[in-house]
Amino acid sequence: MAKLSVIQLCAQPNVEENLNTIDKVLTTLPKADEHLVLLPECCLFFGGRDSEQLALAKQTTNHEHESLSSKLSALATKHRLYLVAGTIPSLTDDQQKFHNRSYVFSPAGDMLEYYDKIHLFDVIVEDNEKNYLESKYTQAGDQIKHVALPFANLGLTVCYDLRFPELYRALAVKGADIITVPAAFTKVTGQAHWLALLQARAIENQCYIMAAGQQGKHANGRETWGHSMIVSPWGEVIDCIEEGVGSVTIDFAPQSLTKIRRSMPVNTHNKFMTELIK
């Protein structure tokens, strides 16, 4: 039976420190022949300035042995699992911005797919930071991405994408059984909306939602909500880690997907489905 795990971090603006933390948490996970693990958004560098993310992307892009993706690929290989590597900054072709990119690695370390965050967090929030302008240094993606794993079809999203149900519906139309949400939700917005949005996306699309968040107070004073969890296709929170660094793991039950979709076939009832498939 396949297992699903989400890892919660309080990442720092220090790649090696975060890598060591991730490695330690991965070591504690139960062993399984097939195991899908999700890391949070900005898993290798968080709590610094966005300009530092761009500098990091420039520094590591042209040195394959130093690249952030290669370090994460090595962790997938070491622990023999499928790893959705949160997000890392990936330099754009013109090197003026970076993509906030989520990678999927196989247990052999192969890069199976990647997804560039489509919806960027340009908002005003009543917290210490006040104003967020992700688009200043980040280039939005423009492609919906999914990948077939041996045990499930996987849809990819990132953080602020969670507020846009059309993306999740499109992934469901493409056959997603599991949708990943690596995130760094602010404490204010997380407390207000995180759980409701995750449950809604699971219920609407009759799929598992894996949500891995940053949690705590970071080096730049930003506070993140955490509450990393896995939600069932019926909208139930199967397991959750509210605070601190750690993980939760569940057994993936594809039979529950089949049962729910047969008993309430919302995809076939959806009057807008023809338009979505186009």
Side-chain angles (χ1 to χ4, degrees), residues 217-271:
K217 192 165 185 177
H218 302 271
N220 59 0
R222 181 174 175 177
E223 290 188 80
T224 47
W225 178 238
H227 291 73
S228 302
M229 65 182 71
I230 303 174
V231 184
S232 80
W234 194 243
E236 301 163 313
V237 177
I238 304 173
D239 206 348
C240 173
I241 173 172
E242 295 186 359
E243 298 180 344
V245 174
S247 65
V248 294
T249 299
I250 70 160
D251 292 328
F252 175 57
Q255 64 274 16
S256 68
L257 285 168
T258 303
K259 180 180 178 181
I260 290 167
R261 291 170 178 177
R262 283 179 177 171
S263 63
M264 191 180 296
V266 294
N267 276 350
T268 59
H269 294 162
N270 192 330
K271 303 302 182 182

Side-chain angles (χ1 to χ4, degrees), residues 2-8 22-23 25-32 34-40 72 75-76 79-86 102-107 149 151 154 156 178 180-182 210-212 230 246-250:
K3 292 187 180 295
L4 309 179
S5 294
V6 297
I7 289 178
Q8 184 161 284
I22 294 167
D23 189 23
V25 178
L26 288 172
T27 301
T28 68
L29 298 182
K31 303 301 179 184
E34 296 176 317
H35 198 159
L36 175 64
V37 179
L38 174 65
L39 301 176
L72 292 165
L75 286 177
H79 295 280
R80 303 300 299 172
L81 43 77
Y82 291 92
L83 184 65
V84 181
S102 182
Y103 284 94
V104 183
F105 297 105
S106 75
L149 303 181
F151 54 91
L154 180 66
L156 304 174
I178 302 166
T180 51
V181 191
M210 296 176 65
I230 303 174
S247 65
V248 294
T249 299
I250 70 160

Side-chain angles (χ1 to χ4, degrees), residues 173-185:
V173 169
K174 293 178 182 295
D177 301 311
I178 302 166
I179 299 178
T180 51
V181 191
F185 253 59

Side-chain angles (χ1 to χ4, degrees), residues 134-150:
E134 190 175 14
S135 64
K136 183 175 181 179
Y137 295 101
T138 307
Q139 177 66 50
D142 59 6
Q143 295 185 53
I144 297 170
K145 293 290 188 74
H146 59 99
V147 59
L149 303 181

